[in-house]
Amino acid sequence: MKKITACLGVAALATAVAACGSSSEPGQESGTITLRVQGMPPATDKPGLASFEKMVADFEKQNPGIAVEGSSAAYDPLTFSAKLAGGKVEDVIKVPLTEPQGLIARKQVKPLTAELAKWAHYKEFNPQVLRPLSDSAGEVYGVPQSPFAMGLVYNRELFEKAGLDPDKPPTTWDEVRAQAKQIAGKTGKAGFVHESKNNQGGWQLTKLTYAFGGEIEKQDGGGWVAAFNAEPARQALTLLKEMRWTDDSMGANQLNDQNDVIKRFAAGEVGMYMGTPGTYRLAKMTYGMRNTDAFGVGPLPQAGGNATLTGGDVYMVPKSTSAEKTAAAAKWLLFAYAQPQYDTGSAAERAKALAADPNAAVGVPTLPMFDEARQAQIDEAVKPYVNVKLEHFRPWIEGTPKLQLRAEPPAQAQAVYAVLDSVVQAVLTDRDADVTALLTKAETDVNAKLAASRQ
């Protein structure tokens, strides 16, 4: 992948719900396949539900032998495994990107490559977004929705005030440390802020560990165990400790979640934080960032890992689904989540609709679903409506394709993050924190949670 698409902030809505029963029900034609799919918006989302219902009609008209029955069931880590094992899930399931590799390894979902490859544009998929949904042999097991990749958000205005080049954000963590210290010294603002509460400290430590070449979990026999009590995470936490206590470049307030950080960033109080281009919308639309030209974003800085964290939702097909329904499910996935993103006309319509609102952010980049040639066509289609300065996103656009996309920990991610929150908080609030001791205790706590989840 060489380019990043201009995301319009409205995920392609799935096409379908409805009103369908089995082929034996009165009034339904014999031989009709009823496909049960997750992804239907809840009844409280009336516009989303209306779009979903309209699109099901379009899909069923195009595929007269298939009836789609929508489900608003949401992924619940506490009940999902039992439902999946008992065959009590839909024919198409929606899971966060923490799950595919575990589902694939346990052979709980079906490979879809052969069915997806029947689509004329299959080879135009961006391999970078399919890799986290694939096995070691290259079989693809799902279709992503609105994938993202983490980077380094920075305040271009503070960079200039500190004597730094706003068009060249740091690309290594040594550079982040040096520039954060320079921003703090020259402007009095926090040079870099790391989230630390509401499970987001652990989430951010995961990104940092990946950048240092480490892991959070690894497979051991039939399950997952902690893998973070190793040199990469120790180096990452030591970096944070030195920035906080030696350099004094992280400000006074260390208990922050994402909303806290973006609110402070929008007010011009933060030089850098780990985030996506999409946080531009929160800074502008939620927290009233006046000088939006100060928003810049580059690729996630590295320290030997050459990787960044990716996320989003994925649609997959359970192993229990019949071959006939699997073929229908692949058609559905392409129609609902691939074709709307591929079509330049649809992209332009969404951009035009958003541009009617002067407060909207149109053209904020995200990971593209398709290759460079197609993305160039999509970018050209939405260009008349873009109202953000794409050159300020250019470092991220050009740098992210060079990194490996790594998913979140596959087992009990939120529970793991909660444990790691306390590690991050200790490092940022206690000058004498012992990084090795903190990681050793966290390893014991996480392994206990992972073991309990297997029982």
Side-chain angles (χ1 to χ4, degrees), residues 90-104:
E90 290 78 0
D91 305 307
V92 171
I93 56 175
K94 178 182 180 180
V95 299
L97 200 56
T98 52
E99 302 307 305
Q101 287 302 311
L103 293 172
I104 293 168

Side-chain angles (χ1 to χ4, degrees), residues 352-366:
K352 184 178 181 179
L354 277 175
D357 179 358
N359 294 317
V362 185
V364 176
T366 188

Side-chain angles (χ1 to χ4, degrees), residues 121-446:
H121 305 293
Y122 173 76
K123 291 186 177 180
E124 296 174 61
F125 268 114
N126 173 12
Q128 196 181 27
V129 301
L130 293 184
R131 197 168 295 119
L133 322 179
S134 305
D135 63 17
S136 59
E139 286 282 353
V140 178
Y141 287 76
V143 173
Q145 180 185 32
S146 303
F148 64 82
M150 302 305 300
L152 183 77
V153 178
Y154 63 99
N155 188 305
R156 294 173 57 89
E157 184 177 22
L158 290 182
F159 263 53
E160 290 179 344
K161 289 181 178 179
L164 300 169
D165 186 345
D167 294 326
K168 294 180 179 179
T171 58
T172 70
W173 282 100
D174 285 343
E175 291 174 350
V176 171
R177 180 181 179 182
Q179 294 186 22
K181 185 176 181 180
Q182 190 166 334
I183 290 169
K186 296 278 188 177
T187 71
K189 310 297 184 183
F192 175 80
V193 173
H194 191 285
E195 295 160 21
S196 62
K197 67 180 184 181
N198 297 335
N199 294 6
Q200 291 170 21
W203 180 56
Q204 293 234 321
L205 180 58
T206 296
K207 308 169 197 174
L208 202 51
T209 300
Y210 288 169
F212 274 78
E215 306 279 350
I216 298 299
E217 296 175 348
K218 63 182 179 181
Q219 281 192 294
D220 181 36
W224 295 88
V225 296
F228 53 75
N229 189 11
E231 193 60 22
R234 279 194 287 273
Q235 290 177 343
L237 287 165
T238 299
L239 169 75
L240 293 178
K241 185 176 180 180
E242 290 173 344
M243 291 175 69
R244 169 69 176 98
W245 299 106
T246 303
D247 301 345
D248 192 22
S249 64
M250 299 181 69
N253 183 2
Q254 302 304 321
L255 297 179
N256 299 280
D257 61 15
Q258 184 182 67
N259 288 332
D260 296 328
V261 172
I262 298 174
K263 184 177 181 179
R264 291 173 60 192
F265 181 85
E269 299 296 320
V270 171
M272 295 177 279
Y273 67 90
M274 288 186 285
T276 67
T279 58
Y280 175 95
R281 292 191 183 85
L282 287 172
K284 176 185 178 181
M285 301 168 68
T286 303
Y287 296 113
M289 186 174 184
R290 294 184 178 181
N291 182 18
T292 53
D293 287 350
F295 188 100
V297 59
L300 189 70
Q302 297 299 306
N306 196 45
T308 187
L309 185 143
T310 185
D313 291 316
V314 181
Y315 289 86
M316 310 183 84
V317 177
K319 187 72 173 179
S320 58
T321 305
S322 69
E324 187 178 42
K325 286 192 174 184
T326 298
K331 291 180 180 179
W332 165 255
L333 293 177
L334 291 168
F335 182 87
Y337 305 110
Q339 290 175 191
Q341 297 297 317
Y342 185 87
D343 183 65
T344 55
S346 296
E349 288 177 9
R350 291 194 299 272
K352 184 178 181 179
L354 277 175
D357 179 358
N359 294 317
V362 185
V364 176
T366 188
L367 280 177
M369 289 275 282
F370 301 101
D371 63 20
E372 179 180 1
R374 189 59 184 177
Q375 281 311 141
Q377 295 171 352
I378 293 171
D379 292 346
E380 188 63 27
V382 305
K383 186 176 180 180
Y385 311 105
V386 171
N387 63 5
V388 302
K389 288 192 174 180
L390 288 178
E391 60 268 29
H392 293 178
F393 296 83
R394 189 66 53 194
W396 184 88
I397 292 173
E398 295 178 350
T400 299
K402 301 172 185 176
L403 303 177
Q404 178 188 1
L405 297 185
R406 300 279 306 279
E408 296 181 58
Q412 300 293 311
Q414 294 303 321
V416 174
Y417 292 162
V419 172
L420 292 177
D421 265 9
S422 62
V423 175
V424 173
Q425 289 174 15
V427 166
L428 296 180
T429 60
D430 180 2
R431 182 186 294 272
D432 298 319
D434 184 330
V435 168
T436 298
L438 288 167
L439 286 175
T440 299
K441 182 180 184 303
E443 179 183 42
T444 300
D445 294 344
V446 165

